[in-house]
Amino acid sequence: MNIQPKIRVGVLGATGAVGQRFVQMLQGHPWFELSVLCASPRNAGKRYADACNWLLRGDMPAHLQDIILEEMAPGIDCEVAFSALPSGVAREVEAELAAAGYIVCSNASAYRYEPDVPLLIPEVNPEHLGLIDVQRNRRGWRGFITTNPNCSTTHLVSALHPLHEAFGVEKVFAVTMQAVSGAGYSGVTSMDIIDNVVPHISSEEEKMERREPQKLLGRFDGQGVEMADFAVSAHCNRVPVRNGHLAAISVEFTRSPSLEDVRRAWAEYDPLPQRMGLPSAPQQAILYREETDRPQPRMDRLAGSVPGMTTVVGRLREDPLLHVKFLALGHNTIRGAAGGSLLNAELLVAQGYLDSQEEAAGDRTPAAGGVLNAVR
């Protein structure tokens, strides 16, 4: 699929850790052109280099250093807005932009649990895009919001999806070992995490147990999502790892599979983004490691043809209480955050959802002198 001209996109909350990851992943994207960077009123009007403490490997892209940050409001020069906002801010800003005709691909939790907002993992539930029409009709918006799940939920559900399709998930027990980057740059102090494990992450267990997996694996009935009926018990822990969330998962199924059946379900998994060849979709959505001591965050968090976008599983064995147990690993700020929203946007393009936005986009008046003119 060749997109000409490229689709103009913006980043809301561009100075934060996830916002920076959006900026990094959009460099050289074959379909999207970064046309505007937005920040809080405190930083709007400043140069990106002056307002942003760049946290990622390598330097801030040189062509963006002099870009002036804009306020997060209708009038910004883009068709798609990637949101890296805190949930409290996102609640107002994302709705305002969607009402004005923008497509908002959000990493925030503000709208994840709304019954008319898609909570998406493109490999898992692309049919939930049908909620977009429901959302626009109910709310009277010219645009719409899609969301991606919590970073820990993303790889749990990605590993479970082919197993649920083949054998029916009944019960899940998960213990997560989550990287410090999941709490943001200043979220966990060194004195708290060095030589330690913190056995509590605010609201994380609630999201994994009662909210996100059931919606993601639920059935879209034309008007809403019928939640999947299975139980999850989660223990969420913060560990002294920089990037990469690791989860120890035990599962009970409706139909008891052999270990070979489980391996085959993962190996034969060929979901829609891979078949469509979306730019950010790795060739293998799930990669199984045969070694007895893998996956490991340092070794495997960037595995796959698109670094950081693959779910890595391993240590599959029988469980004495449930049916099987295994480990699942994924990069939390790439696939579990910015990369998840990016892949959602690619699916929207491939499924024609941006075509229906052309009339709404024509009604918007771009802000004067944005990033688009500066980059060109």
Side-chain angles (χ1 to χ4, degrees), residues 344-362:
N344 286 352
E346 292 171 2
L347 179 64
L348 290 169
V349 173
Q351 298 284 59
Y353 281 89
L354 267 71
D355 297 339
S356 65
Q357 290 299 108
E358 290 181 358
E359 182 177 348

Side-chain angles (χ1 to χ4, degrees), residues 11 14 21 35 60 63 68 140 151 177 184 210 232 243 247 264-265 268 291 308 312 316 320 324:
V11 176
R21 187 67 79 179
S35 59
M60 175 186 291
H63 67 284
I68 302 302
C151 47
M177 293 151 275
R210 294 187 292 277
V232 179
N243 291 304
R264 186 181 304 111
E268 295 177 355
E291 301 91 331
V312 186
L316 175 66
V324 301

Side-chain angles (χ1 to χ4, degrees), residues 58-71:
D59 295 329
M60 175 186 291
H63 67 284
L64 297 179
Q65 293 178 12
D66 291 330
I67 298 307
I68 302 302
L69 293 166
E70 299 188 26
E71 293 188 11

Side-chain angles (χ1 to χ4, degrees), residues 270-284:
D270 187 27
L272 182 63
Q274 281 65 31
R275 298 198 304 271
M276 298 181 80
L278 300 184
S280 298
Q283 291 176 0
Q284 288 180 274

Side-chain angles (χ1 to χ4, degrees), residues 14-84:
T15 61
V18 175
Q20 291 176 39
R21 187 67 79 179
F22 273 119
V23 169
Q24 182 189 60
M25 296 188 74
L26 286 165
Q27 300 309 299
H29 193 281
W31 296 1
F32 299 137
E33 177 183 30
L34 186 57
S35 59
V36 64
L37 299 177
C38 296
S40 65
R42 178 171 57 88
N43 285 319
K46 296 180 181 178
R47 294 171 62 247
Y48 190 44
D50 293 335
C52 177
N53 175 27
W54 190 255
L55 304 172
L56 305 181
R57 288 185 185 274
D59 295 329
M60 175 186 291
H63 67 284
L64 297 179
Q65 293 178 12
D66 291 330
I67 298 307
I68 302 302
L69 293 166
E70 299 188 26
E71 293 188 11
M72 300 175 290
I76 56 175
D77 182 20
C78 63
E79 299 168 69
V80 178
F82 291 107
S83 174

Side-chain angles (χ1 to χ4, degrees), residues 93-310:
V93 170
E94 292 177 4
E96 186 179 16
L97 290 174
Y102 293 84
I103 293 172
V104 180
C105 293
S106 177
N107 181 65
S109 64
Y111 286 94
R112 283 178 190 162
Y113 315 121
E114 296 287 329
D116 59 353
V117 175
L119 177 65
L120 290 174
I121 299 175
E123 290 91 341
V124 172
N125 60 337
E127 69 279 5
H128 288 198
L129 288 180
L131 284 172
I132 289 170
D133 290 337
V134 177
Q135 178 188 140
R136 295 171 82 178
N137 289 335
R138 287 181 179 174
R139 297 174 185 261
W141 289 348
R142 290 185 292 151
F144 56 85
I145 296 172
T146 65
T147 65
N148 53 284
N150 184 303
C151 47
S152 53
T153 303
T154 295
H155 295 285
L156 169 71
V157 172
S158 294
L160 288 177
H161 179 236
L163 310 184
H164 184 56
E165 292 291 294
F167 318 116
V169 170
E170 292 281 348
K171 298 177 183 178
V172 178
F173 181 81
V175 177
T176 69
M177 293 151 275
Q178 297 180 217
V180 292
S181 57
Y185 182 68
S186 58
V188 183
T189 68
S190 59
M191 288 297 289
D192 284 333
I193 199 65
I194 292 174
D195 189 34
N196 199 22
V197 171
V198 180
H200 175 257
I201 303 173
S202 178
S203 76
E204 200 85 354
E205 292 171 0
E206 180 185 3
K207 294 173 184 176
M208 291 189 72
E209 289 183 343
R210 294 187 292 277
R211 289 187 164 187
E212 297 185 357
Q214 293 83 357
K215 185 174 182 180
L216 287 159
L217 293 173
R219 184 181 67 86
F220 175 64
D221 63 9
Q223 291 299 315
V225 174
E226 181 183 337
M227 299 292 211
D229 184 18
F230 61 88
V232 179
S233 176
H235 293 268
C236 296
N237 308 277
R238 191 73 70 193
V239 297
V241 171
R242 179 167 183 148
N243 291 304
H245 288 355
L246 183 66
I249 302 165
S250 296
V251 191
E252 182 175 297
F253 300 101
T254 304
R255 300 174 296 281
S256 178
S258 68
L259 297 183
E260 184 54 39
D261 291 335
V262 173
R263 290 191 190 94
R264 186 181 304 111
W266 283 329
E268 295 177 355
Y269 189 46
D270 187 27
L272 182 63
Q274 281 65 31
R275 298 198 304 271
M276 298 181 80
L278 300 184
S280 298
Q283 291 176 0
Q284 288 180 274
I286 298 175
L287 175 64
Y288 184 78
R289 301 293 314 207
E290 297 284 353
E291 301 91 331
T292 57
D293 61 350
R294 302 282 284 276
Q296 298 178 21
R298 191 171 60 186
M299 303 287 284
D300 299 307
R301 60 194 170 206
L302 295 176
S305 60
V306 182
M309 292 294 286
T310 294

Side-chain angles (χ1 to χ4, degrees), residues 320-357:
L321 296 179
L322 306 182
H323 284 141
V324 301
K325 55 185 175 180
F326 56 89
L327 295 180
L329 171 76
H331 199 296
N332 52 297
T333 69
I334 298 181
R335 184 56 194 264
S341 291
L342 181 58
L343 190 58
N344 286 352
E346 292 171 2
L347 179 64
L348 290 169
V349 173
Q351 298 284 59
Y353 281 89
L354 267 71
D355 297 339
S356 65
Q357 290 299 108

